[in-house]
Amino acid sequence: MLFVFVACTTSKTTVSNNINLSNYRYASVINNETYHIPAELMEYEIHLFDAIETSKLELVSDLRIYELTPQQQAQLLLVKYGIQQNDDEAIVTVNFIDYRSGRPVASCRGAYGLGFDQAGDLKGAIKRVAKQISETFNK
């Protein structure tokens, strides 16, 4: 029965058909009231930033976006993330949005669930989303 449940928990990436991800060089994680991890989960936010750094994207503070040249801003992705967790699984979604157009270009989802330990499930989901991000942006 455990095998069937784990098999239902999938990680995946969706990329827009009309976007060339190799055109992007920078990423800025949105950190506002909507996209903010509670203090008790801060260690996981560190892992999310590490996951983005496994890609070819260079992190830029959201407070420094305006210091980028227009050419650099054209190569910038905004990053928004979300975490869903219940007793059975954790799902971490990381969305990449073109800075200039506001158009979503990629969404990476990491899911993990054994249901024994919520912290372990969350760590597993972050590892899986990190793998999705790395594979997506290092092609």
Side-chain angles (χ1 to χ4, degrees):
M1 185 166 134
L2 179 63
F3 175 75
V4 173
F5 177 73
V6 172
C8 294
T9 303
T10 60
S11 299
K12 66 178 185 172
T13 296
T14 303
V15 178
S16 173
N17 292 329
N18 303 319
I19 297 295
N20 182 354
L21 293 179
S22 66
N23 292 337
Y24 295 99
R25 185 172 167 204
Y26 305 99
S28 182
V29 178
I30 300 300
N31 195 6
N32 60 27
E33 292 302 315
T34 305
Y35 299 98
H36 188 73
I37 289 181
E40 64 271 13
L41 298 177
M42 185 56 75
E43 71 177 280
Y44 301 109
E45 188 171 47
I46 292 168
H47 295 301
L48 284 171
F49 275 74
D50 288 347
I52 295 164
E53 286 182 327
T54 65
S55 71
K56 66 173 184 73
L57 300 171
E58 181 182 330
L59 282 172
V60 175
S61 167
D62 58 343
L63 302 174
R64 302 193 81 155
I65 290 173
Y66 299 106
E67 295 175 14
L68 297 175
T69 67
Q71 181 183 8
Q72 290 171 319
Q73 288 178 355
Q75 300 171 337
L76 175 64
L77 290 170
L78 299 178
V79 181
K80 297 180 179 180
Y81 57 84
I83 296 175
Q84 295 176 312
Q85 188 165 25
N86 59 38
D87 291 338
D88 299 322
E89 69 179 347
I91 300 170
V92 177
T93 305
V94 181
N95 298 309
F96 296 87
I97 300 158
D98 182 271
Y99 173 73
R100 284 189 150 171
S101 69
R103 184 187 197 288
V105 298
S107 180
C108 299
R109 177 183 187 264
Y112 188 85
L114 294 176
F116 299 126
D117 174 33
Q118 285 191 338
D121 287 351
L122 187 54
K123 282 184 183 180
I126 289 172
K127 284 182 183 178
R128 288 189 175 177
V129 80
K131 181 179 180 194
Q132 294 295 316
I133 292 168
S134 181
E135 290 174 357
T136 300
F137 288 95
N138 289 321
K139 288 183 179 178

